[in-house]
Amino acid sequence: MTDFLQLFFSGLATGSIYALAALGFTLLWQASGTINFAQGEFVMLPAFMMLGFLSAGFPLMLSFVGSCVLSVIVLGWLFKRGVVDPLFKYGMMPIVVATIGLSIAMRNAVRAGYSAEPQPFPNLFPDEVYNIAGVTISATDIGTFGFAMALVLVTQAFLAKTVTGRAMQAVAQNTESASVLGINVPRMIFYTFAINALLAAAAAILVTPTYLAKFDMGGSLGNKAFFAAIIGGFNNSRGALLGGVIVGVCENLAAAYISPAYKDAVALVIFMVVILFKPQGLLGQKVERKV
């Protein structure tokens, strides 16, 4: 039982990172009908941005702030203006193809411009281990889960409780009605892209100390975040949290009790089961998005 609990809590930490990336998927889809298959690389790039700041002598938290600013500019504004806006009028498929191509380009650019070797990354949390009721839990797992959950809850509170957040939700539900009501639709959509960029930078500082900064780290992370978003419900931001936690915990347990070889297949198996029996996701609703 003790081993099970340790694996469970460790899976919660990993799942919370998946939830951050999955939340970006759901936000972009709700606000602009965009599916970003470069989402994993959107986590990888801020990690290397932080490494650049660190190598220049900046402390970790200042490097994180700098990467957040750059992420909003590059992964928020530039991505929206340079990729999504020109292709949006042609439908979803060109955007899907473009983001797949963008993910390949980002991986190869980092590999050629920085390094093909895994790079060590400082940990945001102390290297300590706690024994709670016989269960060993690391400070990293506690801090990762707490930080990620706080970001998810703050994001949801912003969307639900603030004027800007409610305007963003109105745009997500019906862009035409939101425009008639005087809401600046392009600005609200940009805010969504900016929030996605910030969540990606936050996921980077949480996941990279454990998995190292690698040019190809975004591939697996992006796939699992996409599956988590579908599992929870692609049109429900709370579903991203649920889907991420389910994937993180289940893959941890599968690696320990079945085989590590099956760890990366867990998200795919859960995804297939969910779409067979509940295609809209566990928390998703059957709604038709109006534009």
Side-chain angles (χ1 to χ4, degrees), residues 54-86:
L54 289 168
S55 63
F58 291 92
L60 178 59
M61 288 311 299
L62 193 56
S63 299
F64 174 62
V65 173
S67 74
C68 286
V69 174
L70 288 178
S71 294
V72 170
I73 296 172
V74 177
L75 306 178
W77 181 81
L78 188 59
F79 173 61
K80 178 181 180 297
R81 293 295 300 271
V83 177
V84 177
D85 287 351

Coordinates of all heavy atoms in Angstrom, one line a residue, residues 54-86:
L54 N 20.1 31.8 -17.8 CA 21.0 31.2 -16.7 C 22.4 31.3 -17.1 O 23.3 31.6 -16.3 CB 20.5 29.8 -16.4 CG 19.2 29.6 -15.7 CD1 18.8 28.1 -15.7 CD2 19.3 30.1 -14.2
S55 N 22.7 30.9 -18.3 CA 24.1 31.0 -18.8 C 24.7 32.4 -18.8 O 25.9 32.6 -18.8 CB 24.2 30.3 -20.2 OG 23.5 31.0 -21.1
A56 N 23.8 33.4 -18.9 CA 24.2 34.8 -18.9 C 24.3 35.3 -17.5 O 24.7 36.5 -17.3 CB 23.2 35.6 -19.7
G57 N 24.1 34.5 -16.5 CA 24.3 34.9 -15.1 C 23.1 35.3 -14.3 O 23.2 35.7 -13.2
F58 N 21.9 35.2 -14.9 CA 20.7 35.5 -14.2 C 20.2 34.4 -13.3 O 20.4 33.3 -13.6 CB 19.5 35.8 -15.2 CG 19.7 37.0 -16.1 CD1 20.4 37.0 -17.3 CD2 19.3 38.3 -15.6 CE1 20.5 38.1 -18.1 CE2 19.5 39.4 -16.4 CZ 20.1 39.3 -17.6
P59 N 19.7 34.8 -12.1 CA 19.1 33.8 -11.2 C 17.9 33.1 -11.8 O 17.3 33.6 -12.8 CB 18.8 34.6 -10.0 CG 18.6 36.0 -10.4 CD 19.5 36.1 -11.6
L60 N 17.5 31.9 -11.2 CA 16.5 31.1 -11.8 C 15.2 31.8 -12.0 O 14.5 31.8 -13.1 CB 16.3 29.8 -11.0 CG 15.2 28.9 -11.5 CD1 15.5 28.4 -12.9 CD2 15.1 27.7 -10.5
M61 N 14.7 32.5 -10.9 CA 13.4 33.1 -11.0 C 13.4 34.3 -12.0 O 12.4 34.5 -12.7 CB 13.0 33.6 -9.6 CG 12.6 32.5 -8.7 SD 11.4 31.3 -9.4 CE 10.0 32.3 -9.8
L62 N 14.5 35.0 -12.1 CA 14.5 36.1 -13.0 C 14.6 35.5 -14.5 O 14.0 36.1 -15.4 CB 15.8 37.0 -12.8 CG 15.8 38.3 -13.5 CD1 14.6 39.2 -13.2 CD2 17.1 39.1 -13.1
S63 N 15.3 34.4 -14.6 CA 15.3 33.7 -15.9 C 13.9 33.3 -16.3 O 13.5 33.3 -17.5 CB 16.2 32.5 -15.9 OG 17.6 32.9 -15.6
F64 N 13.1 32.8 -15.3 CA 11.8 32.4 -15.6 C 10.9 33.5 -16.0 O 10.1 33.4 -17.0 CB 11.2 31.7 -14.3 CG 9.7 31.4 -14.4 CD1 9.3 30.5 -15.3 CD2 8.8 32.0 -13.5 CE1 7.9 30.1 -15.4 CE2 7.5 31.7 -13.6 CZ 7.0 30.8 -14.6
V65 N 11.0 34.7 -15.3 CA 10.3 35.9 -15.7 C 10.6 36.3 -17.2 O 9.8 36.6 -18.0 CB 10.5 37.0 -14.7 CG1 9.9 38.3 -15.3 CG2 10.0 36.7 -13.4
G66 N 12.0 36.3 -17.5 CA 12.4 36.6 -18.8 C 11.8 35.7 -19.9 O 11.4 36.1 -20.9
S67 N 11.8 34.4 -19.5 CA 11.3 33.4 -20.5 C 9.8 33.6 -20.7 O 9.2 33.4 -21.7 CB 11.6 32.0 -20.0 OG 10.8 31.6 -19.0
C68 N 9.1 34.0 -19.6 CA 7.6 34.3 -19.7 C 7.4 35.4 -20.7 O 6.5 35.3 -21.5 CB 7.0 34.6 -18.3 SG 6.9 33.2 -17.2
V69 N 8.2 36.5 -20.6 CA 8.0 37.6 -21.4 C 8.3 37.2 -22.9 O 7.5 37.5 -23.8 CB 8.9 38.8 -21.0 CG1 8.9 39.9 -22.0 CG2 8.6 39.3 -19.6
L70 N 9.4 36.5 -23.1 CA 9.7 36.1 -24.5 C 8.6 35.1 -25.0 O 8.3 35.1 -26.2 CB 11.1 35.4 -24.5 CG 12.3 36.3 -24.3 CD1 13.6 35.5 -24.3 CD2 12.3 37.4 -25.4
S71 N 8.1 34.2 -24.1 CA 7.1 33.3 -24.6 C 5.8 34.0 -25.0 O 5.2 33.6 -26.0 CB 6.8 32.3 -23.4 OG 7.9 31.5 -23.1
V72 N 5.4 35.0 -24.3 CA 4.2 35.8 -24.7 C 4.4 36.4 -26.1 O 3.5 36.4 -26.9 CB 3.9 36.8 -23.7 CG1 2.8 37.8 -24.2 CG2 3.4 36.2 -22.4
I73 N 5.6 36.9 -26.3 CA 5.9 37.6 -27.6 C 6.0 36.5 -28.7 O 5.4 36.7 -29.8 CB 7.2 38.4 -27.5 CG1 7.1 39.5 -26.5 CG2 7.6 38.9 -28.9 CD1 8.4 40.2 -26.2
V74 N 6.8 35.5 -28.5 CA 7.1 34.5 -29.6 C 6.0 33.5 -29.7 O 5.5 33.2 -30.8 CB 8.4 33.8 -29.3 CG1 8.7 32.7 -30.4 CG2 9.6 34.8 -29.3
L75 N 5.6 32.9 -28.6 CA 4.6 31.8 -28.6 C 3.2 32.3 -28.5 O 2.2 31.5 -28.8 CB 4.9 30.8 -27.5 CG 6.3 30.2 -27.4 CD1 6.4 29.3 -26.3 CD2 6.6 29.5 -28.7
G76 N 3.0 33.5 -28.2 CA 1.7 34.1 -28.1 C 1.4 35.0 -29.3 O 0.7 34.6 -30.3
W77 N 2.0 36.2 -29.3 CA 1.7 37.2 -30.4 C 2.2 36.7 -31.7 O 1.5 36.7 -32.7 CB 2.4 38.5 -30.0 CG 2.1 39.6 -31.0 CD1 1.0 40.3 -31.2 CD2 3.0 40.0 -32.1 NE1 1.1 41.2 -32.2 CE2 2.4 41.0 -32.8 CE3 4.3 39.6 -32.4 CZ2 3.0 41.6 -33.9 CZ3 4.9 40.2 -33.5 CH2 4.2 41.2 -34.2
L78 N 3.5 36.3 -31.8 CA 4.1 36.0 -33.1 C 3.4 34.7 -33.7 O 3.1 34.6 -34.9 CB 5.6 35.7 -33.0 CG 6.3 35.5 -34.3 CD1 6.2 36.8 -35.2 CD2 7.8 35.3 -34.0
F79 N 3.1 33.7 -32.9 CA 2.4 32.5 -33.3 C 1.0 32.9 -33.9 O 0.6 32.4 -34.9 CB 2.3 31.5 -32.2 CG 1.5 30.3 -32.5 CD1 1.8 29.4 -33.5 CD2 0.4 30.0 -31.7 CE1 1.1 28.3 -33.8 CE2 -0.4 28.9 -32.0 CZ -0.1 28.0 -33.0
K80 N 0.3 33.7 -33.2 CA -1.0 34.1 -33.6 C -1.0 34.9 -34.9 O -1.7 34.5 -35.8 CB -1.7 34.9 -32.5 CG -3.1 35.4 -32.9 CD -3.8 36.2 -31.8 CE -5.2 36.6 -32.2 NZ -5.1 37.5 -33.4
R81 N -0.1 35.9 -34.9 CA -0.1 36.7 -36.1 C 0.6 36.1 -37.3 O 0.2 36.3 -38.5 CB 0.7 38.0 -35.8 CG 0.0 38.9 -34.8 CD -1.3 39.5 -35.3 NE -1.1 40.3 -36.5 CZ -0.9 41.6 -36.5 NH1 -0.8 42.2 -35.4 NH2 -0.7 42.2 -37.7
G82 N 1.6 35.2 -37.1 CA 2.3 34.7 -38.2 C 1.8 33.3 -38.7 O 2.1 33.0 -39.9
V83 N 1.1 32.6 -37.8 CA 0.6 31.2 -38.3 C -0.9 31.1 -38.3 O -1.5 30.8 -39.3 CB 1.2 30.2 -37.3 CG1 0.7 28.8 -37.7 CG2 2.8 30.2 -37.4
V84 N -1.5 31.5 -37.2 CA -2.9 31.2 -37.0 C -3.8 32.2 -37.9 O -4.7 31.8 -38.6 CB -3.4 31.3 -35.5 CG1 -4.9 31.1 -35.4 CG2 -2.7 30.2 -34.8
D85 N -3.5 33.5 -37.7 CA -4.3 34.5 -38.4 C -4.3 34.3 -39.9 O -5.4 34.4 -40.6 CB -3.9 35.9 -38.1 CG -4.2 36.3 -36.6 OD1 -5.0 35.5 -36.0 OD2 -3.8 37.3 -36.2
P86 N -3.2 34.1 -40.6 CA -3.2 34.0 -42.1 C -3.9 32.7 -42.5 O -4.5 32.7 -43.6 CB -1.7 33.9 -42.4 CG -1.0 34.5 -41.3 CD -1.8 34.1 -40.1

